Amino acid sequence: MTHQNPAASDPLAIDGGAPVIDRPLNRYKGAAAIGEQEKQAVMEVLESQSLFRYYGPNLLSKVAHFEQEFARFVGARHAAAASNGTAALRMGLAALGVGPGDEVIVPAVTFIASVGAIVASRARPVFAEVDETMQLDPADLPKRLTKRTKAIMPVHLNGVAVDMDPVLDFARSHGLKVIEDAAQSCGSRYKGKAVGTLGDVGCFSFQLEKNITSGEGGVLVTDDDELFRRAVIYSDQGGQFWTSHAGVRDTVGGQPVIGENLRMNEIAGAILGCQLAKLNEILNRIERNTTIVREGVETIPGLQVGPRNPDRDRHALGVLFYLPTAEQADAVAAALRAEGVPAGKVYGGQPVYAAPQILNQWTITRGCPFDCPSYFPEPIQYHMGMCPRSEDLLARGVGISVGPFYEEEDLDGIIAGVEKVARHLL
Ligand SMILES: Cc1ncc(COP(=O)(O)O)c(C=O)c1O
């Protein structure tokens, strides 16, 4: 059970007191909404014995339907399904022609997959600062621009949209491409427009943590016919190849290339069709729950919660606040967790480039992008301190995760837990 309104004298749970919330909260989003529809859709696919998206004894075309519905949902001309979000990023980078000799600007705060996809494309990631919303700071772009910059990868983290207008202005004025990593923000909007539809291509993930899920899955969206064609052929073994059952498959035409298999299967497509029908409800719940937590904690003295910006944070999957020092942030985060509040430092308080494999440029093979003088005559050095403002914000920031399926008493418990910790520590 959850204890509400702890007395002022109650000791902190971290000091041996009773926690405000004494059970794990249901942090899942789409996964928590899986029900009869998904079961039935999966059974249909199994019964059809047609688990592959392009042919089978009784093909139901679940992936193709999902692509159409997803494109309609976000308001894009095209959607190309992928085996996961990282695959969608790879397809987007391939479609944009990003490769050896190119640099891609990526925020210092993101999941390592954004960086991995760039390196797998044999291009170099260049890290840029985030602002106090923990999103790419457009004001830092000029500092990161070089003659090799080919693209910018804004990452819409945790349901919040990057401030895209200045990013797009900067990209246009320097002839750069924009690939949006919207993996964590399916359905979020920037000034009313779906994230992922603002740049040249947008990429989404349907991994288990995401707003809608098939366990693994991804999709790329674009309004550009040629980028779509390139993304599709790259993901389908390069396009135009002989299959043992269906002759030559050529879904989008044009010249084939040597590609990979980054396709989605029909089971994932079937599940995602059902999940997409639930996305609006999930987004409404996210908005409601985050608003309750935000309004509950923003008046607590000692916490610096950033200003609300409905053009960007309507579907934020949590509330972020800052403490004056890193030590206070560590202490508050630890005390909140002990109270059962789902809180912590964003990505452990470290920029993505703090990962030793990035700092040390450990790749699985030699060659581009770090070891290929013909494309990149100069080495690139990564080191802590590359994005000092982001490092400071990460050190002092504490995020509370909010899920669409938290119960009323969970939301009350979170607010009571933050009040209790603030009363003791701030
Ligand atoms: C920001 C970001 N980009 C990319 C990905 C990669 O997605 P996936 O795990 O589906 O490959 C994820 C999530 O997992 C993510 O959070």
Side-chain angles (χ1 to χ4, degrees), residues 178-189:
V178 175
I179 171 168
E180 295 176 73
D181 180 342
Q184 298 183 9
S185 299
C186 184
S188 293
R189 292 183 170 266

Side-chain angles (χ1 to χ4, degrees), residues 317-342:
L317 289 157
V319 178
L320 187 62
F321 59 83
Y322 293 93
L323 281 304
T325 68
E327 293 68 33
Q328 281 171 298
D330 287 338
V332 166
L336 286 173
R337 269 198 304 278
E339 298 296 340
V341 174

Side-chain angles (χ1 to χ4, degrees), residues 112-322:
I112 200 162
S114 317
V115 178
I118 297 167
V119 173
S121 305
R122 307 273 168 178
R124 281 183 174 175
V126 170
F127 298 95
E129 297 275 23
V130 295
D131 59 24
E132 59 287 341
T133 67
M134 290 281 179
Q135 312 291 326
L136 176 67
D137 183 358
D140 194 48
L141 293 172
K143 202 173 148 198
R144 311 294 166 173
L145 183 74
T146 75
K147 62 180 191 305
R148 301 190 183 284
T149 312
K150 171 104 177 198
I152 306 171
M153 184 186 284
V155 184
H156 307 287
L157 271 188
N158 214 32
V160 180
V162 174
D163 189 8
M164 286 300 288
D165 282 346
V167 172
L168 294 170
D169 286 347
F170 183 84
R172 267 184 222 113
S173 63
H174 293 90
L176 308 177
K177 303 293 181 194
V178 175
I179 171 168
E180 295 176 73
D181 180 342
Q184 298 183 9
S185 299
C186 184
S188 293
R189 292 183 170 266
Y190 174 72
K191 298 186 176 174
K193 212 168 171 241
V195 298
T197 64
L198 303 144
D200 296 286
V201 296
C203 304
F204 297 83
S205 163
F206 304 120
Q207 184 268 345
L208 193 72
E209 303 264 354
K210 305 304 189 291
N211 287 354
I212 58 173
T213 186
S214 48
E216 295 273 15
V219 73
L220 169 145
V221 299
T222 182
D223 284 340
D224 185 297
D225 296 350
E226 179 58 9
L227 291 177
F228 174 68
R229 193 190 71 79
R230 286 172 60 90
V232 169
I233 62 169
Y234 188 73
S235 72
D236 189 25
Q237 305 289 18
Q240 286 179 39
F241 68 95
W242 274 96
T243 69
S244 53
H245 299 284
V248 175
R249 181 165 69 243
D250 178 5
T251 57
V252 282
Q255 186 195 308
V257 296
I258 301 169
E260 291 187 70
N261 171 10
L262 305 173
R263 296 177 301 244
M264 179 181 281
N265 71 68
E266 284 286 285
I267 300 256
I271 296 170
L272 287 167
C274 303
Q275 289 265 295
L276 185 59
K278 300 175 181 179
L279 181 54
N280 271 329
E281 163 74 10
I282 291 170
L283 290 166
N284 289 341
R285 284 168 166 270
I286 288 169
E287 183 175 3
R288 175 184 173 276
N289 287 356
T290 299
T291 304
I292 290 172
V293 172
R294 194 193 161 91
E295 288 177 352
V297 304
E298 68 189 352
T299 52
I300 297 175
L303 307 180
Q304 186 201 328
V305 182
R308 184 179 296 184
N309 183 347
D311 275 339
R312 292 177 56 195
D313 63 11
R314 242 184 92 188
H315 300 111
L317 289 157
V319 178
L320 187 62
F321 59 83
Y322 293 93

